[in-house]
Structure formats: C-alpha cells, structure tokens
Amino acid sequence: MKKLVSIHLFKINNMEQKTKINAEDGKQDLMITREFDLPLELLFKAYAAPEIVEQWMGTKVLKLESKKHGSYQFETTDAHGNVVFKANGVIHEFSPNRKITRTFEMDNTPFGVQLEVYEFEQLTDDTSKLNMHVIYESAAQRDQVLALPFAQGLNMAHNRIQEILNTLNN
Amino acid sequence: MNLRRDIFQAMADPTRRAILLLLASQTMTAGAIASNFDTARPTVSKHLQILTECQLLEHKQNGREIYYQINAKKMKEVADFIEPFRKMWDDRFNKLETIMKNYKSQNNEH
C-alpha cells in the first residue's frame, strides 16, 4: 500500500504546473499566478465580459458591472433548479488591461468576505500573466477555503487508488 | 489483529472526511466535533478512533478534555494539501485560455 501512495504522489509532482499557488503558513492571504498563451487584451476581456465569464467560470452571471463601484452576482443551479452556488461582490477598481480590485463573498458559507486584487501583465504580444492576490478575514478562513477542494478530492483520490488495486487484483 | 488501519479505507467514509475537514484549521474536543453531526456520540467516537489509529488524527490530553487535531505530516503523505486547490484553478484557467483562443480565431475570420 505504501508503494502505491508514493507512485500517486510522483505523478502529482511531475505534472506541468502552469498555475502556481503561494500560501505561507499562518498568513491570511495567498497568491495565485498563471501565465497565459493569450494577448493581454483577451485575458482581461475574459474577466470583464459577462457572457465570457459565464463560460469559463461555469456559473450563471446574473449581474456584472465592470466599472469602479460596480457590483456582480453569480449563481449556479442544479438540474432541479436548486441554487448550489451563489456569490457576489463589489468592484473597487477597474483599470482596463491592468488591474481589477474587488470583494468576493459566497452566500450561506462560513468563509466570510475576501478581497481580490487582480493584476494583468503583458509578457509578449501573444502572452500575458495574471497575479491574483486574495486576502481573507483570518488565517483560519484562508485555510478552510484552501481545504475545500482537498476534502472533495479525498474521495477521488480514494477511487483512483481503488482502481489501481482492482487492476492489480485481476 | 490489524493494528494499523488502512488510510484509504479510513477516508472512504463521508463522516470521517467531514471530520478531517472540520479539523483542517482548528483543534477540537470530541464533544465539539460530535455536535456537528446528527449521528450518535459513540458513532463519532468510533470514527475518531479509526482516524487516530491510521495516524490521520492526533490527540492531546488537556485537563479533562481530549483535543483532536490533524496530523499534517501524515496528510502530506497522502496528498499535498494545497494541490487540489491549485488543480481547481489550473482547470479553470485552462478553460479560460481555450475559450479565448476560440474567441480570437472567430473574430479574425470576420
């Protein structure tokens, strides 16, 4: 069993890491950075245009006013029309192709409000970079948000190991 | 008798996964953990025992109370704690990139 675990970790560590997360122990913020194969203008448009945000975020955009003092609302419903995700926030700064500062809050969760500072950077004519700085109300809240996909992933990790074991047993 | 329980068997249970999530950022007493579930207290105790046996949880005696906490070192053996969060964003950004590449080629055709 021990051997299987290390094989699993080996795969994770060798994946291409285009997206980087920097979350220092005990801090209440984190930094997400990513380089895109896209010109700066297109990267920024993906954050500013509601119909495009809808596509890559996989949520309905009820409202998105891309301007200073504008606000936004996202909502996702399941097949039965039940709301499974709802979030909202206000935009503090909106500087085209440069910077967006906004708040983000998920409804009906204990995670509080987070402050998000997006910096858009041109690398070449065809490539760009996003720095996303997220500040939480406390270090504990940051860690809870970080742990969410981890907890959901435990299930998947278990299934994957189970699949390997099944293959070996057959 | 198998003394060291299997980690993945321990994690397969939804209640035990919920307990790990609860303890992700804090230490808690058995009572405080149990108050988050509808299940009977002895059932929660059994889950805590299983998680402790496979070393995913550690406990410390503090006066009359026993405090439970995540064994971060053991957790890291199973999977990097931050990796699923990173993967979630990576998938999202990959989608953004694909959508905008299509958008670009569509606009160039016009």
Side-chain angles (χ1 to χ4, degrees):
Chain A
M1 189 44 126
K2 200 136 206 193
K3 209 166 211 172
L4 286 174
V5 173
S6 42
I7 290 168
H8 175 64
L9 283 179
F10 181 75
K11 276 186 185 164
I12 284 178
N13 292 336
N14 280 275
M15 279 191 323
E16 191 192 356
Q17 303 221 329
K18 280 179 107 176
T19 304
K20 294 189 175 66
I21 309 279
N22 184 11
E24 287 175 40
D25 275 354
K27 296 268 180 76
Q28 69 191 77
D29 67 332
L30 57 83
M31 185 73 97
I32 304 172
T33 53
R34 160 84 183 212
E35 289 181 13
F36 289 89
D37 242 350
L38 294 170
L40 173 66
E41 292 72 21
L42 278 180
L43 173 61
F44 190 83
K45 198 179 178 72
Y47 276 86
E51 70 281 6
I52 297 175
V53 173
E54 265 189 351
Q55 289 178 53
W56 68 267
M57 279 284 294
T59 183
K60 205 189 280 179
V61 175
L62 300 181
K63 177 178 163 186
L64 175 57
E65 302 164 324
S66 290
K67 60 179 185 189
K68 187 179 172 74
H69 299 162
S71 66
Y72 67 92
Q73 277 180 329
F74 300 153
E75 187 181 276
T76 308
T77 50
D78 65 13
H80 307 288
N82 303 312
V83 176
V84 291
F85 167 81
K86 204 173 159 108
N88 75 91
V90 294
I91 294 159
H92 190 84
E93 178 178 349
F94 188 86
S95 305
N97 301 325
R98 208 176 63 79
K99 192 174 176 183
I100 296 172
T101 306
R102 69 181 198 188
T103 56
F104 174 90
E105 183 175 27
M106 273 190 273
D107 292 13
N108 303 315
T109 67
F111 303 124
V113 184
Q114 63 196 50
L115 180 65
E116 301 178 337
V117 182
Y118 296 84
E119 281 179 309
F120 301 84
E121 225 180 279
Q122 179 173 8
L123 295 177
T124 67
D125 283 350
D126 298 312
T127 58
S128 52
K129 188 179 173 188
L130 171 68
N131 297 307
M132 180 180 169
H133 188 198
V134 189
I135 301 124
Y136 299 84
E137 288 182 39
S138 66
Q141 269 180 359
R142 184 202 71 172
D143 289 347
Q144 272 187 313
V145 173
L146 270 175
L148 266 185
F150 174 76
Q152 288 155 357
L154 287 180
N155 202 3
M156 278 163 53
H158 170 76
N159 291 342
R160 233 175 290 143
I161 299 287
Q162 201 58 50
E163 273 168 31
I164 297 168
L165 285 178
N166 290 345
T167 320
L168 291 179
N169 289 340
N170 288 339
Chain B
M1 175 85 194
N2 190 4
L3 288 177
R4 291 270 300 272
R5 282 190 180 261
D6 174 51
I7 286 181
F8 293 99
Q9 189 193 331
M11 284 183 164
D13 181 88
T15 307
R16 290 198 284 270
R17 284 202 299 273
I19 291 172
L20 290 173
L21 181 59
L22 261 180
L23 292 171
S25 58
Q26 59 196 328
T27 63
M28 290 172 90
T29 62
I33 295 166
S35 69
N36 284 277
F37 299 93
D38 293 330
T39 20
R41 175 83 185 258
T43 312
V44 173
S45 297
K46 185 72 192 163
H47 286 312
L48 289 173
Q49 188 196 332
I50 291 168
L51 287 168
T52 308
E53 277 174 13
C54 69
Q55 299 179 336
L56 286 170
L57 290 188
E58 296 170 320
H59 57 247
K60 268 193 312 230
Q61 183 91 32
N62 192 344
R64 284 177 55 214
E65 298 280 11
I66 296 172
Y67 285 83
Y68 286 87
Q69 66 181 46
I70 289 250
N71 179 358
K73 213 176 144 198
K74 196 74 186 174
M75 283 295 223
K76 279 209 185 292
E77 262 181 48
V78 184
D80 192 333
F81 194 65
I82 286 177
E83 177 55 26
F85 182 83
R86 195 197 68 76
K87 182 77 171 51
M88 178 188 81
W89 278 101
D90 201 44
D91 290 345
R92 209 174 265 176
F93 288 145
N94 287 342
K95 208 169 165 191
L96 186 161
E97 203 168 58
T98 308
I99 287 166
M100 293 320 281
K101 275 181 181 168
N102 290 338
Y103 181 89
K104 186 183 169 187
S105 54
Q106 272 171 14
N107 281 25
N108 285 347
E109 280 165 20
H110 293 305

